[in-house]
């Protein structure tokens, strides 16, 4: 019994020492400091995590960073590319599926490696193994994607850096810069499909219990050219749900959708309903929107009513001036704009004055 208790005590002591040892590791700076950069394209985050070595007057390309695939003398890999940084794997994460240099890659975290070529090219490698030290354990079988790119000459960069020098609505370019070389690769995102899929899912959960979310969903779909889905979602805001009701916003948006679908008569009926629910500024926007659609008669009608219904508030008179201008009636446009000038805050008067000068010259202010 005593021996048994002694053994248990020894095991407990050993476990305690092991615990103390593993928890007692000191935090000290890495020689090549860790960094992280992130770029969002649409709603997709692209994050690169990497170690940042310095040049320190060393010969980098072909020496410190050898060309091609090499036996580094450690680990399991006999044909390792460059780790694209220092210490642990350089990693890249995509929160949605993307294309890199035109090739598909799924959302996830990948080890990022680069194989340099002597002719100025490079192969960017995305490995499903993102947790190893460097590329010492690189295995080609774990590749998720390889793409070939061209490197560029660049101004000297002492400390290795990743950045996103080009950013567009549906794409970005990620680039590694070190010494006098830049290694760029293009990442494309199908923003519309990702956002539309997200909205469809969100409207099925708690987000779908708020009317404004249906309005926002419909507005996004409308601007993205998805008219049928925009109409479906705005109809959900107007009727059929416990929160549904007619508002200026949803009726005016539905009218715009119908105009795009060629259903102008139905759209104008909704314009009349929306105008009765809007304030002076909202109806001003509705009327100027109609002017842009070349619905000048309807714009003039609702903007006249806007003046009557809002005691001649200055935005209503400015809107009416624009409606008269669209009809070529510059005389009445000047009258309405002069009334607006007497009521408008000082910060708006330069804009109104410029419009007035154009009208006096017989020029349309729309």
């Amino acid at each position: 019994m005593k021996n048994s208790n002694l053994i248990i005590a020894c095991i407990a002591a050993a476990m305690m020492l092991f615990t103390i040892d593993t928890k007692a590791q000191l935090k000290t700076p890495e020689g090549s400091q860790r960094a992280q950069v992130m770029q969002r394209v649409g709603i997709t985050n692209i994050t690169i995590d990497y170690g940042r070595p310095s040049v320190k007057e060393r010969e980098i390309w072909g020496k410190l960073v050898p060309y091609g695939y090499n036996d580094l003398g450690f680990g399991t890999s006999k044909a390792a590319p460059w780790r694209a940084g220092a210490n642990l794997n350089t990693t890249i994460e995509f929160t949605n599926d993307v294309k890199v240099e035109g090739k598909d890659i799924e959302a996830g975290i990948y080890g990022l490696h680069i194989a340099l070529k002597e002719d100025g090219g490079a192969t960017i490698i995305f490995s499903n193994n993102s947790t190893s030290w460097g590329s010492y354990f690189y295995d080609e079988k774990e590749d998720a994607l390889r793409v070939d790119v061209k490197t560029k000459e660049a101004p000297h960069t002492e400390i290795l850096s990743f950045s996103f020098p080009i950013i567009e609505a549906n794409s970005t370019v990620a680039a590694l810069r070190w010494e006098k070389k830049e290694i760029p690769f293009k990442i494309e995102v199908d923003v519309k499909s990702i956002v539309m899929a997200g909205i469809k899912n969100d409207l099925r959960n708690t987000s779908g219990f708020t009317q404004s979310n249906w309005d926002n969903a419909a507005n996004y779909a409308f601007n993205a050219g998805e008219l049928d889905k925009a109409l479906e979602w705005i109809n959900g805001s107007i009727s059929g749900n416990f929160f549904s009701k007619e508002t200026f916003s949803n009726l005016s948006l539905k009218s715009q959708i119908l105009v795009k679908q060629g259903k102008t008569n139905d759209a104008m009926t909704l314009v009349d309903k929306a105008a009765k629910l809007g304030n002076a500024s909202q109806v001003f926007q509705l009327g100027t929107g109609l002017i842009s659609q070349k619905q000048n008669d309807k714009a003039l009608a609702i903007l006249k009513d806007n003046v009557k219904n809002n005691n001649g508030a200055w935005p209503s008179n400015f809107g009416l001036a624009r409606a008269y201008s669209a009809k070529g009636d510059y005389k009445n446009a000047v009258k309405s704009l002069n009334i607006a000038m007497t009521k408008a805050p000082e910060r708006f008067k330069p804009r109104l004055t410029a419009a007035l000068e154009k009208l006096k010259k017989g020029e349309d202010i729309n």
Side-chain angles (χ1 to χ4, degrees):
M1 187 70 174
K2 290 183 178 179
N3 288 339
S4 178
N5 289 337
L6 181 60
I7 292 170
I8 292 172
C10 289
I11 292 173
M15 291 179 66
M16 185 179 295
L17 286 172
F18 177 77
T19 302
I20 291 171
D21 182 64
T22 56
K23 290 184 177 179
Q25 295 181 24
L26 298 176
K27 291 183 178 179
T28 58
E30 295 183 54
S32 298
Q33 298 279 20
R34 204 73 190 172
Q36 192 175 87
V37 292
M38 188 277 281
Q39 178 61 50
R40 179 170 294 168
V41 178
I43 60 172
T44 299
N45 290 345
I46 302 163
T47 305
I48 302 174
D49 189 291
Y50 63 107
R52 303 188 67 191
S54 298
V55 174
K56 295 180 179 178
E57 299 184 350
R58 295 176 293 183
E59 188 174 351
I60 302 300
W61 310 113
K63 293 293 184 180
L64 183 65
V65 178
Y67 294 117
Y69 303 83
N70 299 272
D71 184 347
L72 303 176
F74 178 75
T76 57
S77 179
K78 301 303 179 185
W82 177 44
R83 71 182 79 181
N87 303 327
L88 285 167
N89 270 182
T90 295
T91 64
I92 186 166
E93 179 179 7
F94 309 110
T95 56
N96 296 100
D97 297 352
V98 301
K99 288 181 182 292
V100 179
E101 293 293 324
K103 296 182 179 181
D104 294 323
I105 188 168
E106 295 180 352
I109 302 176
Y110 299 93
L112 183 63
H113 305 283
I114 300 175
L116 270 294
K117 301 177 183 179
E118 293 188 60
D119 65 2
T123 299
I124 312 293
I125 302 167
F126 300 84
S127 173
N128 286 311
N129 178 0
S130 62
T131 58
S132 292
W133 184 271
S135 55
Y136 296 112
F137 302 92
Y138 170 76
D139 186 343
E140 183 178 350
K141 294 177 182 177
E142 295 176 323
D143 286 359
L145 178 68
R146 285 188 178 197
V147 296
D148 290 324
V149 298
K150 288 291 184 182
T151 67
K152 298 179 179 180
E153 293 301 311
H156 181 83
T157 301
E158 176 64 23
I159 303 175
L160 187 148
S161 176
F162 275 96
S163 64
F164 298 92
I166 300 174
I167 305 165
E168 298 179 344
N170 296 288
S171 67
T172 186
V173 171
L176 179 152
R177 279 192 176 184
W178 199 27
E179 202 252 358
K180 294 183 178 180
K181 192 179 290 294
E182 178 181 302
I183 307 172
F185 53 99
K186 186 175 183 178
I187 303 167
E188 297 171 279
V189 182
D190 189 350
V191 174
K192 184 172 80 169
S193 294
I194 291 168
V195 174
M196 289 292 289
I199 290 172
K200 290 175 187 177
N201 187 63
D202 287 343
L203 291 180
R204 299 187 302 178
N205 61 39
T206 54
S207 297
F209 290 84
T210 304
Q211 184 183 28
S212 61
N213 285 336
W214 288 76
D215 292 342
N216 293 336
N219 189 63
Y220 179 84
F222 173 68
N223 289 319
E226 298 289 337
L227 298 182
D228 290 342
K229 189 56 71 173
L231 185 60
E232 176 189 329
W233 288 336
I234 205 63
N235 282 338
S237 173
I238 293 170
S239 63
N241 294 304
F242 71 89
F243 52 74
S244 300
K245 64 179 180 181
E246 292 184 347
T247 66
F248 172 83
S249 295
N250 58 29
L251 291 174
S252 59
L253 178 55
K254 184 173 180 178
S255 73
Q256 294 176 64
I257 296 167
L258 293 176
V259 167
K260 286 284 188 180
Q261 292 181 325
K263 303 171 184 176
T264 305
N265 291 335
D266 292 339
M268 294 306 105
T269 300
L270 290 175
V271 164
D272 291 333
K273 295 178 74 174
K276 294 176 182 178
L277 299 174
N279 59 36
S281 295
Q282 288 174 323
V283 178
F284 167 84
Q285 292 172 355
L286 181 64
T288 54
L290 288 167
I291 292 169
S292 68
Q293 297 168 11
K294 306 302 181 184
Q295 298 292 330
N296 295 333
D297 291 336
K298 177 61 70 174
L300 182 60
I302 70 161
L303 290 170
K304 280 183 177 178
D305 286 341
N306 197 30
V307 173
K308 295 176 185 177
N309 296 336
N310 290 283
N311 298 317
W314 81 267
S316 64
N317 272 293
F318 181 35
L320 184 56
R322 291 185 60 173
Y324 278 127
S325 177
K327 297 278 290 180
D329 185 351
Y330 298 130
K331 181 179 179 181
N332 278 315
V334 168
K335 287 181 181 179
S336 295
L337 195 51
N338 277 326
I339 295 171
M341 286 280 287
T342 64
K343 299 182 177 182
E346 286 298 321
R347 67 181 184 276
F348 292 107
K349 287 186 178 179
R351 177 186 177 188
L352 299 183
T353 300
L356 187 60
E357 291 301 315
K358 290 187 70 174
L359 288 173
K360 289 178 179 179
K361 296 177 184 177
E363 298 176 4
D364 186 13
I365 59 174
N366 295 292

